[in-house]
Amino acid sequence: MSILVTGGAGYIGSHTVVQLLEEGHEVVVLDNLCNGSREALHRVETIFGKAVGFIEGDVRDRALLDRLFAGHAIEAVIHFAGLKAVGESVEQPLAYYDANVHGSLVLCQAMAAAGVYKLVFSSSATVYGPDAPVPYMETMPRGSTSNPYGSSKAMVEQLLTDLCRADARWSVALLRYFNPIGAHPSGQIGEDPQGIPNNLMPFIAQVAVGRRPELAIFGDDYPTEDGTCVRDYLHVMDLADGHVASLASLEESGVHIYNLGTGQGVSVLEMVTTFERVSGQRVPYRIDPRREGDLAAFWADASKAERELGWRAERGLEAMLRDTWHWQRNNPAGYQQS
Ligand code: NAD
Ligand code: UD1
């Protein structure tokens, strides 16, 4: 299949591009590089030994999209492009709604004009909201969202649901990711956040490599086994495989919702101790107060994806942490050093 990957120079996008190429798909990447790296795609080309079509530009640029669809026989779109920092979204709601909601809207308009009706959208477990019981299941309703980032994901899910209801030519996969971590086993590509990492895994990796003195653990008084928060971490290569598998669901019209997670909860402290064991590095930490908006514990029921797509997360926690460390050790400053 010939696939447009928006945001393909970012973390999840670049790993997905590798797996799409492995499966024999043709790929064109559109990315404005606001949080992605051209170097990531050069390295994808090295891993795969084949050039990747790349267009630098914005998903909100309708004229550019029209030219792109006119020039390439695109059959499906995987839409990663967007902004993802929860705290920043509270400070800059307009930027988030513009990139995430307006961006998706313009993309759908351009797709419809070009006669392309197959779309895979990067959603998030955050759409279940704070009151959903665990494990989260796709049959549960979307809950309330407490920040513009989460609201933008819920809005786009609604927009795409309405679109499918109105026009049976559309088929859309809403993939609700849990907590992707890890890196390609080659150590060539991985997560390279700009500035101070918001998320746990890159923070641990940067402490281990000596870029930061210690990890702050946000709260050890949650109602969990060791008092720290529990999440469902999944390997980014498994997540990439989930995108490839989800393409099959686009054969049938309508909305197809899938949780992509392992179904296993892991605490922050378990993450630290397992990382130390796998990497042989010490990760000094202190306990800080809870971070506003954090939930105590959630994980996926990922059985629908296994039943319907034949997908399940294959790589365990040790592989996730080993591959993260391999990437970080080889690239202490991320992509910047090359
Ligand atoms: P990322 O920031 O590494 O990748 C996003 C890419 O999109 C970047 O390369 C960025 O340059 C590009 N981009 C942003 N706005 C754009 C625009 N307007 N036009 C063109 N390109 C644009 O993030 P990621 O972690 O790879 O996440 C990919 C998607 O998955 C995002 O939509 C994110 O919200 C979603 N998601 C991520 C996580 C996670 O934990 N990483 C969890 C759930 C959902
Ligand atoms: C966060 C976002 C979520 C988003 C996801 C992926 C919030 C509240 N949620 O999920 O909407 O989809 O990222 O981008 O921001 N932790 C520490 N110290 C740190 C960093 C994190 O203790 O320096 C803890 C957190 O309290 C949490 C766990 O580690 O319990 C995981 O945090 P993180 O990696 O940020 O993911 P989420 O909060 O699950």
Side-chain angles (χ1 to χ4, degrees):
M1 218 186 249
S2 184
I3 298 168
L4 170 63
V5 181
T6 75
Y11 172 46
I12 305 169
S14 56
H15 290 79
T16 302
V17 168
V18 173
Q19 298 307 78
L20 289 168
L21 293 172
E22 288 284 350
E23 288 298 310
H25 297 291
E26 298 284 323
V27 172
V28 178
V29 169
L30 171 70
D31 199 300
N32 68 4
L33 301 181
C34 72
N35 198 42
S37 160
R38 188 72 186 91
E39 175 63 16
L41 290 177
H42 288 318
R43 294 190 185 187
V44 168
E45 290 171 340
T46 310
I47 292 167
F48 197 70
K50 190 179 161 190
V52 178
F54 175 68
I55 295 163
E56 183 172 345
D58 199 292
V59 77
R60 291 162 293 192
D61 183 343
R62 175 64 195 272
L64 173 67
L65 288 176
D66 288 345
R67 287 199 300 280
L68 195 161
F69 284 115
H72 299 83
I74 301 294
E75 292 160 87
V77 178
I78 304 184
H79 180 36
F80 293 105
L83 303 178
K84 65 165 183 177
V86 173
E88 189 181 66
S89 80
V90 176
E91 285 152 24
Q92 302 173 31
L94 295 181
Y96 271 69
Y97 289 119
D98 193 27
N100 295 0
V101 182
H102 180 213
S104 300
L105 187 69
V106 174
L107 175 65
C108 290
Q109 287 167 334
M111 287 175 67
V116 179
Y117 295 101
K118 293 180 194 299
L119 177 67
V120 178
F121 175 63
S122 295
S123 190
S124 165
T126 198
V127 301
Y128 287 103
D131 302 319
V134 289
Y136 292 169
M137 299 179 77
E138 295 89 342
T139 45
M140 293 172 181
R142 279 191 295 274
S144 62
T145 43
S146 58
N147 57 72
Y149 167 76
S151 301
S152 74
K153 291 292 174 191
M155 283 181 192
V156 176
E157 284 204 355
Q158 188 63 50
L159 182 162
L160 295 171
T161 305
D162 291 341
L163 192 55
C164 288
R165 240 183 242 141
D167 185 341
R169 286 174 297 183
W170 281 92
S171 52
V172 173
L174 304 178
L175 303 185
R176 293 177 177 168
Y177 313 158
F178 283 68
N179 288 56
I181 60 169
H184 191 271
S186 65
Q188 290 285 312
I189 56 172
E191 187 169 14
D192 183 23
Q194 315 290 309
I196 301 170
N198 296 306
N199 299 117
L200 179 66
M201 187 72 261
F203 209 107
I204 290 177
Q206 291 193 8
V207 170
V209 86
R211 274 173 75 176
R212 312 205 174 266
E214 65 177 359
L215 169 73
I217 293 183
F218 299 140
D220 67 350
D221 57 351
Y222 284 97
T224 60
E225 210 154 291
D226 63 23
T228 64
C229 291
V230 167
R231 295 289 181 273
D232 182 342
Y233 297 94
L234 84 156
H235 200 299
V236 68
M237 296 301 294
D238 278 325
L239 183 56
D241 289 339
H243 287 77
V244 177
S246 77
L247 293 171
S249 72
L250 302 182
E251 292 309 314
E252 215 177 291
S253 76
V255 171
H256 310 278
I257 305 178
Y258 296 105
N259 286 340
L260 297 182
T262 63
Q264 305 285 324
V266 176
S267 78
V268 176
L269 272 174
E270 277 177 270
M271 288 288 283
V272 172
T273 51
T274 313
F275 184 89
E276 288 187 325
R277 181 160 49 76
V278 167
S279 68
Q281 301 297 303
R282 277 206 58 239
V283 179
Y285 66 83
R286 64 171 194 272
I287 305 294
D288 268 13
R290 292 180 177 194
R291 179 172 70 178
E292 203 187 318
D294 274 345
L295 300 179
F298 63 84
W299 58 90
D301 178 327
S303 59
K304 185 179 177 210
E306 179 160 12
R307 242 180 3 258
E308 296 189 6
L309 303 175
W311 175 89
R312 70 159 186 231
E314 301 284 355
R315 298 153 178 95
L317 186 62
E318 293 199 0
M320 299 179 213
L321 299 177
R322 193 177 53 238
D323 290 338
T324 299
W325 178 234
H326 187 202
W327 150 254
Q328 189 71 75
R329 196 187 48 203
N330 285 356
N331 305 271
Y335 291 116
Q336 266 169 27
Q337 63 201 347
S338 38

